Amino acid sequence: MNDWIGHMKHLVGKERVVGFGEIGLDLTEPEKDWHHQFQLVDRLLPSLKLRHVLVVHCRGMPGDSSTATIMLLLHRMKSVSCIQRMHLHCFTGDSYVVEKWLEVFPETYFGFTNMVERFDRHPQEAVTRIHESRLLLETETPYFPLPGNKWSSPNHIHRAARLLAEIRNVSVEAVLAATTENAIRLYGLRV
């Protein structure tokens, strides 16, 4: 693992590297491995620079909304600057998580996949409360395939946009425009 961490630190030191991660906690993994995830987060975070976008992966146990796991990770990230730009990847939390995360890290963006189709009212409420300037779309390829497909692919982004638009009661075009602008702004992309 030390070789891998050294290689990661070398790569993120390159000026052209914009994103850092994805790192975080995934409690769908066997419990015996959780402490390794904590150690990895603790060992990698010191290499994070303000020029990076920290891509955070956080998933609770199967059937869980991930709220407790996300809050645990938030507490664990005390060493991270409050002005760090972040992308909460594959977000499934509720409004409480959004509020608490933004209190600590106001430069956070929330990424949504086709998983929003399975959201109950609590994460759906979070989707409606997040300002449109903080929304991102993701396919999480190859996971979360469309019905009849073995894997997802980047061209499935429209479905995530449609699902988000339905929850927010806006047009798909509005979601696509906002999330494209947000991704360009967050990652410093040139079009």
Side-chain angles (χ1 to χ4, degrees):
M1 175 162 28
N2 286 335
D3 288 344
W4 183 87
I5 290 174
H7 187 66
M8 170 88 172
K9 288 179 178 182
H10 172 74
L11 288 175
V12 298
K14 304 275 185 192
E15 195 61 38
R16 292 183 57 178
V17 173
V18 177
F20 186 100
E22 67 188 63
I23 68 170
L25 303 175
D26 188 338
L27 302 187
T28 64
E29 295 296 319
E31 188 174 349
K32 67 179 179 58
D33 296 329
W34 293 356
H35 74 282
H36 295 296
Q37 294 180 43
F38 286 111
Q39 289 174 339
L40 196 56
V41 168
D42 292 344
R43 289 183 67 189
L44 288 174
L45 282 180
S47 300
L48 178 66
K49 307 286 185 241
L50 282 177
R51 66 179 172 82
H52 294 128
V53 174
L54 178 58
V55 182
V56 177
H57 173 94
C58 202
R59 185 160 295 135
M61 292 182 272
D64 178 23
S65 69
S66 301
T67 299
T69 309
I70 296 169
M71 295 307 292
L72 176 62
L73 184 60
L74 178 63
H75 177 74
R76 190 95 183 177
M77 295 177 59
K78 288 180 179 177
S79 65
V80 176
S81 170
C82 66
I83 61 170
Q84 183 69 50
R85 292 173 300 141
M86 289 192 195
H87 174 171
L88 283 188
H89 158 68
C90 213
F91 186 72
T92 59
D94 59 21
S95 294
Y96 175 79
V97 170
V98 171
E99 177 186 330
K100 294 301 175 189
W101 200 278
L102 288 172
E103 281 177 10
V104 179
F105 299 114
E107 293 300 319
T108 299
Y109 292 71
F110 300 85
F112 294 96
T113 67
N114 292 336
M115 276 183 36
V116 299
E117 188 169 40
R118 294 183 244 157
F119 282 3
D120 65 21
R121 70 179 179 89
H122 297 291
Q124 280 187 6
E125 183 179 293
V127 167
T128 63
R129 290 191 174 185
I130 295 170
H131 194 275
E132 76 172 14
S133 66
R134 296 296 174 183
L135 295 173
L136 296 172
L137 291 175
E138 306 169 342
T139 58
E140 182 62 339
T141 301
Y143 310 106
F144 314 123
L146 297 178
N149 290 281
K150 192 171 182 177
W151 297 289
S152 67
S153 68
N155 68 344
H156 294 167
I157 199 78
H158 192 272
R159 179 168 173 128
R162 184 177 54 75
L163 293 167
L164 215 61
E166 288 172 9
I167 292 170
R168 292 177 63 85
N169 199 26
V170 297
S171 71
V172 173
E173 293 76 14
V175 169
L176 289 168
T179 55
T180 299
E181 183 179 316
N182 296 344
I184 291 168
R185 183 175 57 254
L186 175 61
Y187 285 97
L189 304 172
R190 294 184 188 104
V191 189

